[in-house]
Short mmCIF file of all heavy atoms in Angstrom, two decimals:
data_model
loop_
_atom_site.label_atom_id
_atom_site.label_comp_id
_atom_site.label_asym_id
_atom_site.label_seq_id
_atom_site.Cartn_x
_atom_site.Cartn_y
_atom_site.Cartn_z
N LEU A 183 -17.18 1.80 -25.61
CA LEU A 183 -16.14 0.78 -25.52
C LEU A 183 -16.43 -0.36 -26.50
O LEU A 183 -15.50 -0.91 -27.06
CB LEU A 183 -16.12 0.25 -24.08
CG LEU A 183 -15.09 -0.80 -23.78
CD1 LEU A 183 -13.70 -0.31 -24.07
CD2 LEU A 183 -15.19 -1.28 -22.31
N VAL A 184 -17.71 -0.74 -26.64
CA VAL A 184 -18.03 -1.83 -27.63
C VAL A 184 -17.65 -1.37 -29.03
O VAL A 184 -17.02 -2.10 -29.79
CB VAL A 184 -19.54 -2.14 -27.55
CG1 VAL A 184 -19.95 -3.01 -28.72
CG2 VAL A 184 -19.86 -2.81 -26.22
N ALA A 185 -17.98 -0.13 -29.36
CA ALA A 185 -17.59 0.42 -30.72
C ALA A 185 -16.11 0.48 -30.89
O ALA A 185 -15.59 0.10 -31.94
CB ALA A 185 -18.21 1.77 -30.93
N TYR A 186 -15.40 0.88 -29.89
CA TYR A 186 -13.96 0.92 -29.91
C TYR A 186 -13.38 -0.47 -30.08
O TYR A 186 -12.46 -0.68 -30.88
CB TYR A 186 -13.46 1.52 -28.57
CG TYR A 186 -11.98 1.89 -28.55
CD1 TYR A 186 -11.59 3.22 -28.77
CD2 TYR A 186 -11.06 0.89 -28.21
CE1 TYR A 186 -10.18 3.51 -28.73
CE2 TYR A 186 -9.68 1.24 -28.20
CZ TYR A 186 -9.29 2.52 -28.45
OH TYR A 186 -7.92 2.87 -28.37
N GLY A 187 -13.93 -1.43 -29.30
CA GLY A 187 -13.44 -2.81 -29.44
C GLY A 187 -13.65 -3.41 -30.76
O GLY A 187 -12.74 -4.07 -31.33
N VAL A 188 -14.81 -3.15 -31.36
CA VAL A 188 -15.09 -3.64 -32.72
C VAL A 188 -14.14 -3.04 -33.73
O VAL A 188 -13.55 -3.74 -34.56
CB VAL A 188 -16.51 -3.31 -33.12
CG1 VAL A 188 -16.79 -3.60 -34.61
CG2 VAL A 188 -17.53 -4.09 -32.31
N GLY A 189 -13.92 -1.74 -33.62
CA GLY A 189 -12.98 -1.08 -34.56
C GLY A 189 -11.54 -1.61 -34.41
O GLY A 189 -10.83 -1.81 -35.39
N LEU A 190 -11.12 -1.82 -33.14
CA LEU A 190 -9.79 -2.33 -32.90
C LEU A 190 -9.59 -3.78 -33.41
O LEU A 190 -8.62 -4.08 -34.05
CB LEU A 190 -9.49 -2.31 -31.41
CG LEU A 190 -8.12 -2.76 -30.95
CD1 LEU A 190 -7.00 -1.90 -31.60
CD2 LEU A 190 -7.96 -2.68 -29.42
N LEU A 191 -10.62 -4.61 -33.18
CA LEU A 191 -10.55 -5.97 -33.68
C LEU A 191 -10.51 -6.03 -35.24
O LEU A 191 -9.78 -6.77 -35.80
CB LEU A 191 -11.73 -6.78 -33.17
CG LEU A 191 -11.66 -7.25 -31.70
CD1 LEU A 191 -12.96 -7.92 -31.30
CD2 LEU A 191 -10.46 -8.19 -31.51
N GLN A 192 -11.33 -5.15 -35.81
CA GLN A 192 -11.34 -5.11 -37.30
C GLN A 192 -9.97 -4.70 -37.84
O GLN A 192 -9.51 -5.28 -38.84
CB GLN A 192 -12.44 -4.10 -37.72
CG GLN A 192 -12.71 -4.11 -39.26
CD GLN A 192 -11.90 -3.07 -40.03
OE1 GLN A 192 -11.32 -2.17 -39.45
NE2 GLN A 192 -11.87 -3.24 -41.34
N TRP A 193 -9.33 -3.77 -37.17
CA TRP A 193 -7.99 -3.38 -37.58
C TRP A 193 -6.96 -4.53 -37.41
O TRP A 193 -6.18 -4.78 -38.24
CB TRP A 193 -7.58 -2.11 -36.83
CG TRP A 193 -6.15 -1.69 -37.19
CD1 TRP A 193 -5.76 -1.05 -38.32
CD2 TRP A 193 -4.97 -1.92 -36.44
NE1 TRP A 193 -4.39 -0.85 -38.31
CE2 TRP A 193 -3.89 -1.41 -37.15
CE3 TRP A 193 -4.73 -2.49 -35.16
CZ2 TRP A 193 -2.56 -1.42 -36.63
CZ3 TRP A 193 -3.44 -2.55 -34.72
CH2 TRP A 193 -2.39 -2.01 -35.44
N LEU A 194 -7.04 -5.15 -36.22
CA LEU A 194 -6.12 -6.21 -35.91
C LEU A 194 -6.28 -7.38 -36.85
O LEU A 194 -5.21 -8.03 -37.30
CB LEU A 194 -6.30 -6.67 -34.43
CG LEU A 194 -5.82 -5.73 -33.36
CD1 LEU A 194 -6.23 -6.25 -32.00
CD2 LEU A 194 -4.27 -5.57 -33.37
N ILE A 195 -7.49 -7.74 -37.16
CA ILE A 195 -7.74 -8.97 -37.93
C ILE A 195 -7.60 -8.74 -39.46
O ILE A 195 -7.12 -9.59 -40.21
CB ILE A 195 -9.09 -9.56 -37.60
CG1 ILE A 195 -9.19 -9.97 -36.14
CG2 ILE A 195 -9.52 -10.72 -38.53
CD1 ILE A 195 -10.56 -10.38 -35.65
N VAL A 196 -8.06 -7.57 -39.94
CA VAL A 196 -8.14 -7.33 -41.36
C VAL A 196 -6.99 -6.43 -41.85
O VAL A 196 -6.21 -6.81 -42.74
CB VAL A 196 -9.48 -6.66 -41.74
CG1 VAL A 196 -9.48 -6.37 -43.25
CG2 VAL A 196 -10.61 -7.58 -41.32
N ARG A 197 -6.82 -5.25 -41.24
CA ARG A 197 -5.88 -4.29 -41.81
C ARG A 197 -4.44 -4.52 -41.44
O ARG A 197 -3.52 -4.34 -42.26
CB ARG A 197 -6.29 -2.86 -41.42
CG ARG A 197 -7.60 -2.41 -42.02
CD ARG A 197 -7.79 -0.93 -41.81
NE ARG A 197 -9.01 -0.52 -42.51
CZ ARG A 197 -9.43 0.77 -42.63
NH1 ARG A 197 -8.68 1.71 -42.08
NH2 ARG A 197 -10.53 1.08 -43.21
N LEU A 198 -4.22 -4.89 -40.19
CA LEU A 198 -2.78 -5.08 -39.79
C LEU A 198 -2.07 -6.20 -40.56
O LEU A 198 -0.97 -5.97 -41.05
CB LEU A 198 -2.72 -5.38 -38.26
CG LEU A 198 -1.33 -5.56 -37.70
CD1 LEU A 198 -0.44 -4.35 -37.94
CD2 LEU A 198 -1.37 -5.86 -36.19
#
Side-chain angles (χ1 to χ4, degrees):
L183 181 60
V184 170
Y186 190 98
V188 170
L190 182 59
L191 283 175
Q192 189 266 346
W193 176 77
L194 287 172
I195 295 172
V196 178
R197 293 194 176 184
L198 181 59

